[in-house]
Amino acid sequence: MTTAEAPVAARKRPGIPAGLLRYVLLRISASIVVMLVVSFVVFLFVHAAPGGPEYAIAGKLATEEQLANIRQIYGFDRPLLDQYWTYLGQLLQGELGESVIQRRPVAALLGEAAAVTVPLLVFTWVIALVAGVAIGVVTAHRAGSRVDRFALGMTTLAASTPAFVLGTVVAWFFGIELGWFPALGIGDGGLDTVAHLVLPATTMAIAVLAITTRISRVRIGQILAEDQALFARARGLGRWWTLRNVVLRNAGVQLITLSGTIVVSLFTGLILVERVFNLPGIGSLMVEAIHDQDMPVIQGVTLCAASLVVVVNLVVDLLCMLVDPRLRLRLESAR
Amino acid sequence: MTAVPHSTLTSSRSRAARLPVPRIPVLTTLAGLFLLAVAACAIFPGLAPVDPGAIDAAASLQGPSGEHLLGTDQLGRDMFSRIIAGARTSLLGPLLLAVGVTVVGTLLAVAAGYFGGRIDAVISRMVDLLYSVPALLVAIVVAGVTGGGFGITLAVLIVFGLPLHVRNLRAAVMERAHLPYMEAAVTLGLPTWRVVLTHLVPTIVPNMVATFFLVFTYGVVEFSSLSFLGLGSPPGAPDWGRMVSDNRATIFTNVWPAVVPAVAIVLLAVSTNLIGEYLQRKHDQARRQR
Amino acid sequence: MNPTIAAGRQAGLATDSLSVWLEQGRARRPIVESISLRVAPGESIAIVGESGSGKSVTARALLGLLPPELTSEGDVKVAGTSFLRLSEAARRRLRGNEIAFIMQDPFTMLNPVMKVGDQVTAALRGADGRKLSRAERRAEAVARLNEVGITDPAVVDKYPFQLSGGMRQRVGIAAAIAENPRVLIADEPTTALDVTTQQEVLKLLDRLRRTHELGLILITHDLRVAFATCDRVYVMYAGQIVEAGQTDAIRARPRHPYTAALLAAEPPLDHRVPRLMTIPGSVPSPGSRPDGCRFAPRCPYAVAACTSSPVSLRTTDESGTHRVRCDRADEITLVTDDMTGRPAAGAETVQPGDLLVKMRGVRKNFQDKVAVDGVDVDVYAGESVGLVGESGSGKTTLARMMVGLTRPSAGSVRVGGVELAAKRVSRQQWAMVRGLVQMAFQDPMSTLNPTRTIGSTLREGLRLAGADDLETATSELLERVGLPAGYARRWPGQLSGGERQRVAIARALSRNPRIVVCDEVVSALDVSVQAHILNLLRELQADLGLTYVFITHDLAVVRQITDRVYVLNHGKVVESGPTPDVLDRPQHDYTKRLIASIPRVEQ
C-alpha cells in the first residue's frame, strides 16, 4: 500500500503514450460500434410499426396499389440484412429518406428544426452550467445556512416539476399576465425571434439548473470537507486559489460528466418545451412525426438524438481522461 | 497502523459534505396528508362528487366556485372530479416504476456487488452502456414507433431508469460486502443466502428507500410528460398530464383548467420527495443514536 | 518585517486560557478548557492524549480553523500578536508564514490532481511579491523537497498517488514549511505510517526544528513518540491539561495518576508482563464530564475530596516547570511499572499440541501484485502465533487464507486436516473448518452489524454451534468477555470501541472454536483500552485453552501475547522462531530495523 509505484519512465519524446493512444482509439471504435447497433435498431423501426413497413412508409391511408409499389421500391421482400446494408449505405451518404407527410427530405427538415433547437440548447447549456456551479460553490461554502437551505428547497421543487408544467406556468405568467415576452411561436426572424426564444430558454435553464446546482453543491461540499481543503487553508492559501486548484480541479471529472448529462437531458426537455411554446424545433418535428406515424422522420430524429448521446459521451470520457491524472497515468503506464 | 478517531472533528467535517435538511415538519406533514389523499382517490375513484366525464356546455371554463371547487374546463367538466379521477393513473405509473427499479436494481446490485466476478462484469458493462441514455427520450421514440401502451412504456422506463440506481446500489453493496461484520458472518459459517438476506440487505435498506422515492418523483415527471405529449392515456381521459395539454389552448381565457392539474403533478412529486427526505433524516438520527 | 519578530522575544506561539465550545442550538458544551501552552522557535512540545481528550480540536483552534459549530475563547499569540482577534484576512497571512500545520493522513492531505512541485510552491512569491516564473518555481520545488530528504528531482512532476505514504508526508511537510514559518503544528503526523517510516519522519521533523529554528507542536496519542521527540510534554485528559513539564521530569516521575496509568498501560517491548496495567472505565464525553477532577471516577487514588470541586493546574517543583492537575500529587506514590524485571511465569514455553494449521508454499496474487510469496506457517494447538509485518507485508492476506476468506493462488493450506486450497471443499468440510477457526477484525467501528443488536449478533453463532438455551449462552458469552449480560439488548452504536472489540471476540467464541485469528484487534484502540483487551485475550487463552494467530504490526504487543512469531516482509517470511529469541536476538536485517525503529519510553 505504501510502496511507491514504479515510476513512469521519464519520456523526453513528446507525443501521446501508447497506452493512452490505444484507449482513445478503442473508445472511438466502441462509439462507432454503438452507432452501428443504433442504426440497425432504427432501421428496424419501419418493421416494428403497426401494420407493417409498407404502412410506415406510405402512411395510414395508402391504397393497396401504393403499398405494392412501395414494397417493390424499398425491397421489403428482400432479406433483412440486405435491406439494412442498403439503408446503411444511404445513411453514410447523408440520405435520411423523405417525409411521408411533407414529401420533403428528412435531412432538410432536420436542418430547419435544428436552427431553432441548437441555439436554444447551447444557450441554456451554458447558463445552467455556469449558474449551477456558481450557486453550488456559494452554497457549499455556507453549508447549512439559510441560503443553502433555500437553494436546496428550490432544486427539490424544480426537480419535481415537469418541464411542460414549468413552461406552461412561465408562458402564462411572463407571457400573458405580465406580457413581457411573446408566449407562443417563433416570430419572424431577427430580434423578434430572439424575443420569442427568451421564455423557452428561461424554462429550460430553470429546469436544468436544478440538476446542475444540486450535483455541484454535493460534490463541492465533499471536497470542502476533505483534508486537502483544510490543509490549503492552514497554509494560508486564499479562497480563490482553493476554489481554482482544489475545488474545481478535483470536481473536474464530475463537472465534465455533469455537463454531458445535461446536454442529453436538455434535448429531452426541449421536446416538451417546444411543444409548450409551439416552436418548430426538432422536438416538435419528432412529436408531430409520431402523431402522423411519419416513420422516416422518426428515424431521422432518433438517429440525431443517438448521435448526440454517443458523441457527448465520447467527448466526456476523453475530457475526463485529460483532467484526471489518475485515469490518464494508469493508461500511460500500461504497455 | 492506528486510526485514532476524533469524533468531534469528523462529525463536523461532514457538514459541508452533507446536504442540509429542510427542517420544516409542517411541510412534511402536509406532504404526507396530500399523498394520503391522492392514495385514497386512487383506491376509491367514487369519491369524485360529479361524473368526471359529464359535459355541460353551459358551464364552460368557470372559475372556482362552491359548485365547482376547482372550476370547469372548456367542455364544462368539473375539474375537481377530474383531478380525483386522474389520481389512479397518476399514481400507478410512478408507483410501479419505483417498485420495479428498486426491486430489480437491488437484485442486480447485490448480484454484481457481492458476488462480483463475471456477473459483475456483465452487469456493469450493461449499466455503462445504458447509463447516459435518457429514459424519457427512449420512451417517446418507442411509443412513437410501436404506438405505445402502458406496459411497454413502463418496461422502457424501468430498463433505462435502472443504470443510475444499479450503480449507486452496487456501490453501497460493495462498500459493505467486505466490512468485518460481513466477513465475520461468513466465517461464522452462515450460508451465503443468509449472509446476503440478514446482513447485507438490511444495511442497504436506506439506499433502497432513497432509490424508491427518487424514482417515484422522476416517474411522476416522466409519465405526466408522456401524457402531455399525447403518448400516454387517450385524449379526453382524466389524466393530469393530458389535462394540462388539453387545456393549454384556453390559458388565455381561463388559466385554471391548465394550472390545476399542473399543480397536482408538482404537489405529488414534491410530496414524495419531502417524505423520502424525511425518512432518510429519521434513519440518520436513529443510526446516530444507536 | 514585524519588529516584534525581529526582537525574537515573542516569536513562537503561546496560548492563554484557550477554550473551545461546541454550540448545539442553545446548548453549549466545553470541548477544550483553558489550555495554556507555549512553544518557542527551535523548541518541540508534545500534546499527548487519548481519543476524546480534545487534542486535535486544540490543534485546529490554534490555527483559528475550527469547524463552524465550534467556537473558541481565550487568546493565541502568534509572533506577538493576538492571532484569534485578527481579521480572517490577517490570520490567513500568518498561516503558512508564521504557523504551519500538517495532518494525520498523508493520503488525503495533498491534492490528488495537482503535481507535487506545484503544491509545494503554491504559496511562494518572489522577494518583491510577484509571481515566480515557471523555472524559478521548479527550482524552488526541487530545493524544498531536498530539505525534507527527497533528493530525486523527478518527484516534482509526480502526482501524490504515485508516492508512498512516507513520501507523501514528506511532501506535506515541505508544502507546510515552504514559507519558513516559525511554528509547525503536526497533528498525529506519523500515525498512519509504518514504524520504520514513522521513525524517519520523526527524525526529519527533529532535524527541521533545528535547521529552521522551528517551534514544533506534536499532537499524538503515543507517549513513546512524544517522549522520544519532544523537549516538553503536555498531557491532556477530557479537555484539560492534566500534567505539563520537561520530558525527562515526566518520564522519570509522572505526578498525575492518569499519566502514570498511561505509561503503565503501554506494553513493554523488552519483556513480557503477567498482566498489563489498565485504566478502568473510559474517557468521558464532553457532555458527561464529572465536576471535580475529571479523572477521579477512574483513579485508584481518588478520595471523596477529589470529586467535590474543580482542580487547578499547579506547580510541583521549585523550578516551576512541572505542573500537575491533582490535589493529591504530593501525597500519593504512583506506580508506573510494578512488574518490571519479573518475567511472566510459565507463559514463555508452551507444550506443542496437534498441528492445527499447516501452510506450505502459499502464494497469493492480486492481479499482477504478489501479496504472499511462498510462505510456510504452522500453528499448533494451545500456542499463540504472531504474524508480524508492516503494511503490504501480506500478513492479513495470510490470516484470511487460514479462515477461508481468501483462496490461495498456489500452495497448500490445511486447517484441521481440510485442504482449503482444493478446487472443491465440501459443505461438511467447511462446517468443520468454521467450527474450528474463527476470526476477530481490526476496525471496531465496522466489526459489528449496525442493524442488529449485540444479542442477535451473538445468537447467530451460538445457534450454529448448536447451543440449547440461547439466552443463557448469550449472557455467559458476554460475561466471559467482561460485559454485563444486559448488553445483549444494546446496539453497536451505543458501545465504545473497546466494548465492540469485546463483542467481536465474543462472537468469535460463540462457535466454540479452537483457534481464534486476531487481525490487528487492538491497533485502533487507545492504549488503556488496548491493555484491557490484551489481558482479556490472555485470560481467555488460559481458561479455554485457545490457540491464537495474532496479526499485528506492533512488536510490543507481539511480546505480550505470542509464543512464536513469523516476521513478514513483502510477502515472505524473513524470520521466525520463539518470540523472545526473535525480539531479543533478531537475525535478519529487516527484523533488526523494525525493532530499532520503535520509539522508546526509556532513553
Side-chain angles (χ1 to χ4, degrees):
Chain A
M1 193 163 96
T2 52
T3 47
E5 280 158 43
V8 182
R11 289 166 217 276
K12 286 286 171 280
R13 138 187 97 79
I16 311 165
L20 195 58
L21 188 68
R22 202 179 48 176
Y23 172 82
V24 172
L25 291 178
L26 224 113
R27 190 63 192 74
I28 291 175
S29 26
S31 300
I32 293 173
V33 171
V34 169
M35 271 322 289
L36 283 176
V37 173
V38 169
S39 70
F40 186 68
V41 173
V42 168
F43 156 75
L44 288 179
F45 279 5
V46 278
H47 293 269
E54 305 89 332
Y55 282 99
I57 302 294
K60 280 172 264 188
L61 304 172
T63 62
E64 189 51 47
E65 197 180 330
Q66 282 173 313
L67 292 178
N69 196 17
I70 281 168
R71 257 192 295 274
Q72 188 152 29
I73 297 172
Y74 285 84
F76 287 134
D77 34 12
R78 285 191 296 144
L80 212 56
L81 268 181
D82 256 21
Q83 295 180 41
Y84 173 64
W85 288 127
T86 318
Y87 176 75
L88 190 63
Q90 287 170 342
L91 277 191
L92 292 176
Q93 291 164 30
E95 186 63 51
L96 291 172
E98 193 175 76
S99 163
V100 180
I101 307 294
Q102 304 196 36
R103 298 289 166 202
R104 292 182 55 208
V106 172
L109 291 173
L110 271 174
E112 287 164 23
V116 176
T117 301
V118 170
L120 210 50
L121 189 84
V122 172
F123 180 71
T124 45
W125 183 68
V126 172
I127 296 279
L129 206 57
V130 172
V133 173
I135 300 175
V137 167
V138 170
T139 51
H141 271 99
R142 300 178 188 186
S145 70
R146 228 170 260 185
V147 180
D148 191 24
R149 288 211 300 277
F150 176 76
L152 180 78
M154 282 293 126
T155 62
T156 305
L157 186 63
S160 311
T161 308
F164 72 90
V165 169
L166 188 63
T168 306
V169 172
V170 166
W172 167 71
F173 189 70
F174 294 101
I176 298 167
E177 283 298 302
L178 297 176
W180 287 356
F181 295 100
L184 288 176
I186 185 65
D188 5 291
L191 271 184
D192 189 42
T193 296
V194 173
H196 276 84
L197 289 180
V198 169
L199 292 185
T202 311
T203 306
M204 274 325 293
I206 293 174
V208 180
L209 200 55
I211 308 174
T212 52
T213 303
R214 204 178 174 101
I215 290 181
S216 35
R217 162 66 179 85
V218 169
R219 182 67 188 120
I220 292 167
Q222 282 171 352
I223 295 169
L224 288 178
E226 282 173 9
D227 278 356
Q228 50 164 326
L230 181 65
F231 187 55
R233 288 181 71 196
R235 294 178 63 193
L237 295 166
R239 202 163 253 207
W240 287 109
W241 189 92
T242 309
L243 181 65
R244 213 173 51 239
N245 292 291
V246 178
V247 172
L248 292 183
R249 263 201 196 191
N250 277 282
V253 167
Q254 287 77 25
L255 293 184
I256 288 170
T257 314
L258 173 67
S259 52
T261 314
I262 62 167
V263 170
V264 176
S265 53
L266 269 171
F267 189 84
T268 316
L270 275 177
I271 296 180
L272 293 153
V273 170
E274 285 174 3
R275 290 299 286 167
V276 173
F277 291 94
N278 280 350
L279 297 177
I282 294 180
S284 294
L285 187 67
M286 177 71 168
V287 175
E288 277 155 27
I290 287 173
H291 285 294
D292 300 338
Q293 282 292 305
D294 191 345
M295 202 52 78
V297 176
I298 296 180
Q299 287 177 307
V301 177
T302 306
L303 277 177
C304 226
S307 325
L308 182 76
V309 172
V310 169
V311 169
V312 162
N313 279 329
L314 178 64
V315 172
V316 162
D317 276 7
L318 295 183
L319 280 180
C320 286
M321 196 59 59
L322 209 67
V323 299
D324 193 328
R326 283 164 295 190
L327 300 173
R328 196 172 62 232
L329 289 170
R330 196 179 310 143
L331 290 171
E332 280 180 18
S333 55
R335 272 150 288 124
Chain B
M1 300 208 301
T2 338
V4 181
H6 20 213
S7 52
T8 342
L9 288 182
T10 36
S11 68
S12 59
R13 259 187 221 166
S14 55
R15 184 172 174 174
R18 235 185 296 134
L19 285 177
V21 207
R23 28 176 194 208
I24 313 167
V26 184
L27 272 185
T28 312
T29 315
L30 287 178
L33 288 175
F34 182 78
L35 282 188
L36 281 179
V38 175
C41 297
I43 298 167
F44 311 108
L47 286 174
V50 192
D51 175 7
I55 296 173
D56 177 5
S60 171
L61 289 177
Q62 290 183 357
S65 65
E67 197 183 343
H68 299 289
L69 278 177
L70 297 172
T72 58
D73 67 6
Q74 197 166 17
L75 299 176
R77 294 177 291 194
D78 180 43
M79 285 306 294
F80 185 62
S81 299
R82 289 181 68 74
I83 291 289
I84 291 177
R88 184 174 284 183
T89 34
S90 304
L91 207 57
L92 195 64
L95 190 68
L96 291 177
L97 177 64
V99 170
V101 169
T102 309
V103 170
V104 181
T106 305
L107 285 176
L108 291 176
V110 169
Y114 188 74
F115 296 102
R118 221 168 293 164
I119 308 172
D120 186 25
V122 171
I123 294 176
S124 294
R125 280 298 82 70
M126 290 305 292
V127 164
D128 287 346
L129 205 65
L130 299 183
Y131 189 72
S132 47
V133 182
L136 186 55
L137 191 58
V138 178
I140 291 172
V141 171
V142 169
V145 173
T146 63
F150 181 72
I152 291 180
T153 304
L154 181 65
V156 167
L157 290 182
I158 288 179
V159 169
F160 289 89
L162 271 172
L164 169 71
H165 302 287
V166 172
R167 203 177 267 189
N168 289 345
L169 288 168
R170 174 177 169 272
V173 169
M174 288 185 74
E175 223 172 76
R176 293 161 177 81
H178 295 290
L179 284 183
Y181 65 78
M182 292 289 299
E183 306 214 303
V186 173
T187 46
L188 271 185
L190 285 178
T192 308
W193 65 269
R194 287 269 307 271
V195 175
V196 169
L197 276 188
T198 64
H199 282 275
L200 179 62
V201 173
T203 60
I204 61 163
V205 163
N207 307 67
M208 291 164 63
V209 171
T211 301
F212 178 87
F213 281 96
L214 198 63
V215 176
F216 190 98
T217 309
Y218 288 150
V220 172
V221 172
E222 286 170 342
F223 275 103
S224 63
S225 297
L226 285 170
S227 297
F228 172 81
L229 292 177
L231 300 172
S233 42
D239 177 291
W240 295 354
R242 184 94 214 185
M243 280 152 77
V244 178
S245 171
D246 290 347
N247 299 333
R248 213 159 37 89
T250 60
I251 58 171
F252 289 95
T253 41
N254 185 350
V255 79
W256 284 94
V259 161
V260 165
V263 169
I265 292 166
V266 176
L267 278 182
L268 181 60
V270 170
S271 298
T272 39
N273 221 327
L274 285 175
I275 296 293
E277 275 175 10
Y278 171 74
L279 289 178
Q280 262 190 316
R281 187 172 53 209
K282 278 210 43 166
H283 170 264
D284 282 355
Q285 270 169 4
R287 201 180 48 183
R288 248 174 281 148
Q289 275 158 15
R290 270 181 196 175
Chain C
M1 268 253 214
N2 197 326
T4 47
I5 298 172
R9 289 188 52 217
Q10 286 178 301
L13 180 146
T15 69
D16 185 18
S17 299
L18 181 69
S19 300
V20 179
W21 300 81
L22 172 65
E23 313 276 347
Q24 278 176 327
R26 262 169 242 134
R28 201 161 180 255
R29 287 175 179 169
I31 304 286
V32 169
E33 293 162 55
S34 295
I35 300 287
S36 295
L37 50 79
R38 66 188 158 76
V39 63
E43 188 191 28
S44 62
I45 65 164
I47 303 178
V48 186
E50 296 182 285
S51 46
S53 63
K55 59 188 189 303
S56 286
V57 173
T58 306
R60 288 184 61 173
L62 293 178
L63 290 149
L65 286 177
L66 287 170
E69 64 272 25
L70 297 184
T71 53
S72 60
E73 265 171 26
D75 198 13
V76 177
K77 283 238 188 305
V78 174
T81 54
S82 294
F83 183 65
L84 294 183
R85 311 238 163 90
L86 295 175
S87 70
E88 176 58 26
R91 274 188 281 180
R92 201 180 65 228
R93 278 192 291 276
L94 288 181
R95 287 189 204 120
N97 230 318
E98 281 295 327
I99 40 172
F101 183 48
I102 56 167
M103 303 168 76
Q104 173 173 350
D105 191 346
F107 294 89
T108 58
M109 180 173 59
L110 298 173
N111 186 342
V113 293
M114 196 172 183
K115 283 183 180 170
V116 162
D118 293 336
Q119 299 200 46
V120 170
T121 56
L124 292 181
R125 291 283 177 278
D128 47 356
R130 72 182 161 83
K131 278 194 175 171
L132 297 177
S133 74
R134 224 183 156 75
E136 284 170 324
R137 284 161 61 92
R138 209 193 140 78
E140 277 290 344
V142 170
R144 302 296 166 140
L145 287 177
N146 221 339
E147 280 179 356
V148 295
I150 301 177
T151 47
D152 180 3
V155 171
V156 169
D157 294 318
K158 292 229 168 99
Y159 291 94
F161 65 90
Q162 296 173 292
L163 306 175
S164 69
M167 287 275 265
R168 290 190 213 195
Q169 196 58 290
R170 283 168 194 271
V171 171
I173 293 170
I177 63 167
E179 293 178 277
N180 294 320
R182 308 295 291 261
V183 176
L184 175 65
I185 301 167
D187 186 4
E188 302 267 11
T190 59
T191 309
L193 304 175
D194 280 323
V195 261
T196 46
T197 324
Q198 168 174 341
Q199 200 206 19
E200 289 165 15
V201 170
L202 288 174
K203 275 187 178 158
L204 169 67
L205 287 174
D206 196 52
R207 181 164 62 77
L208 292 171
R209 174 182 63 80
R210 280 180 279 113
T211 56
H212 284 60
E213 273 290 292
L214 204 57
L216 179 67
I217 302 179
L218 183 72
I219 309 233
T220 178
H221 68 283
D222 193 337
L223 263 177
R224 290 181 295 189
V225 167
F227 282 164
T229 320
C230 297
D231 305 328
R232 285 185 297 117
V233 172
Y234 294 84
V235 181
M236 275 187 80
Y237 180 78
Q240 294 177 327
I241 290 173
V242 293
E243 184 161 6
Q246 301 288 333
T247 298
D248 293 335
I250 295 185
R251 179 165 45 208
R253 193 181 167 208
R255 302 299 301 270
H256 196 285
Y258 176 67
T259 316
L262 263 190
L263 272 171
E266 195 79 65
L269 174 65
D270 53 359
H271 64 281
R272 184 164 178 157
V273 294
R275 194 177 167 76
L276 290 159
M277 293 268 289
T278 58
I279 309 176
S282 56
V283 180
S285 63
S288 55
R289 289 171 178 165
D291 290 334
C293 169
R294 293 287 155 79
F295 189 59
R298 304 175 69 191
C299 180
Y301 308 97
V303 294
C306 294
T307 55
S308 57
S309 58
V311 184
S312 56
L313 200 59
R314 58 195 181 80
T315 328
T316 58
D317 61 347
E318 289 96 54
S319 65
T321 54
H322 196 163
R323 290 174 301 152
V324 62
R325 196 185 291 275
C326 177
D327 287 340
R328 303 195 67 214
D330 296 330
E331 304 160 34
I332 54 181
T333 317
L334 295 169
V335 180
T336 54
D337 193 359
D338 58 346
M339 309 304 176
T340 313
R342 269 180 284 156
E348 306 270 341
T349 48
V350 170
Q351 291 301 318
D354 316 338
L355 183 58
L356 292 181
V357 177
K358 183 179 174 191
M359 304 177 97
R360 286 293 175 274
V362 175
R363 289 176 59 86
K364 179 67 194 176
N365 306 337
F366 292 109
Q367 277 98 42
D368 51 350
K369 272 190 182 162
V370 183
V372 174
D373 189 3
V375 167
D376 300 346
V377 171
D378 291 323
V379 180
Y380 292 93
E383 67 171 350
S384 172
V385 176
L387 302 179
V388 190
E390 297 182 295
S391 52
S393 64
K395 56 187 191 301
T396 293
T397 310
L398 207 53
R400 291 169 59 89
M401 287 194 277
M402 267 182 218
V403 295
L405 279 175
T406 300
R407 180 187 276 277
S409 306
S412 155
V413 178
R414 293 189 84 84
V415 177
V418 176
E419 178 56 78
L420 292 183
K423 269 224 169 64
R424 187 156 162 69
V425 181
S426 74
R427 198 175 284 247
Q428 286 80 11
Q429 285 175 319
W430 270 127
M432 208 285 273
V433 171
R434 300 302 188 206
L436 181 71
V437 50
Q438 285 295 317
M439 188 159 179
F441 299 85
Q442 169 175 10
D443 179 17
M445 302 314 286
S446 58
T447 199
L448 300 176
N449 189 332
T451 64
R452 330 192 94 202
T453 60
I454 304 308
S456 97
T457 292
L458 295 181
R459 282 194 292 275
E460 212 164 39
L462 289 168
R463 219 175 278 130
L464 288 165
D468 303 321
D469 184 355
L470 290 178
E471 283 307 309
T472 323
T474 308
S475 308
E476 278 173 9
L477 258 185
L478 283 169
E479 273 156 32
R480 180 102 262 165
V481 297
L483 293 174
Y487 269 47
R489 283 186 300 277
R490 296 208 181 181
W491 297 95
Q494 298 170 315
L495 272 54
S496 70
E499 288 172 335
R500 290 184 204 198
Q501 277 315 37
R502 284 172 193 264
V503 175
I505 291 166
R507 175 179 56 197
L509 295 181
S510 70
R511 285 231 49 181
N512 238 333
R514 291 183 73 188
I515 314 172
V516 177
V517 177
C518 300
D519 184 9
E520 299 270 18
V521 280
V522 294
S523 63
L525 303 174
D526 280 324
V527 61
S528 64
V529 184
Q530 166 180 316
H532 278 293
I533 300 291
L534 289 176
N535 285 338
L536 170 70
L537 285 170
R538 292 215 298 216
E539 275 165 32
L540 290 172
Q541 186 174 35
D543 293 356
L544 304 173
L546 289 175
T547 306
Y548 286 140
V549 177
F550 215 88
I551 293 97
T552 181
H553 67 283
D554 189 333
L555 292 176
V557 167
V558 165
R559 171 77 83 170
Q560 301 308 318
I561 197 94
T562 67
D563 308 310
R564 269 192 322 121
V565 63
Y566 291 89
V567 182
L568 288 145
N569 188 24
H570 296 312
K572 288 198 168 81
V573 172
V574 296
E575 186 163 359
S576 65
T579 306
D581 292 357
V582 172
L583 294 189
D584 296 338
R585 290 171 294 279
Q587 300 301 309
H588 195 275
D589 282 347
Y590 177 73
T591 319
K592 288 180 187 162
R593 196 147 56 84
L594 211 54
I595 294 171
S597 305
I598 296 171
R600 279 151 216 273
V601 174
E602 317 79 28
Q603 214 153 28

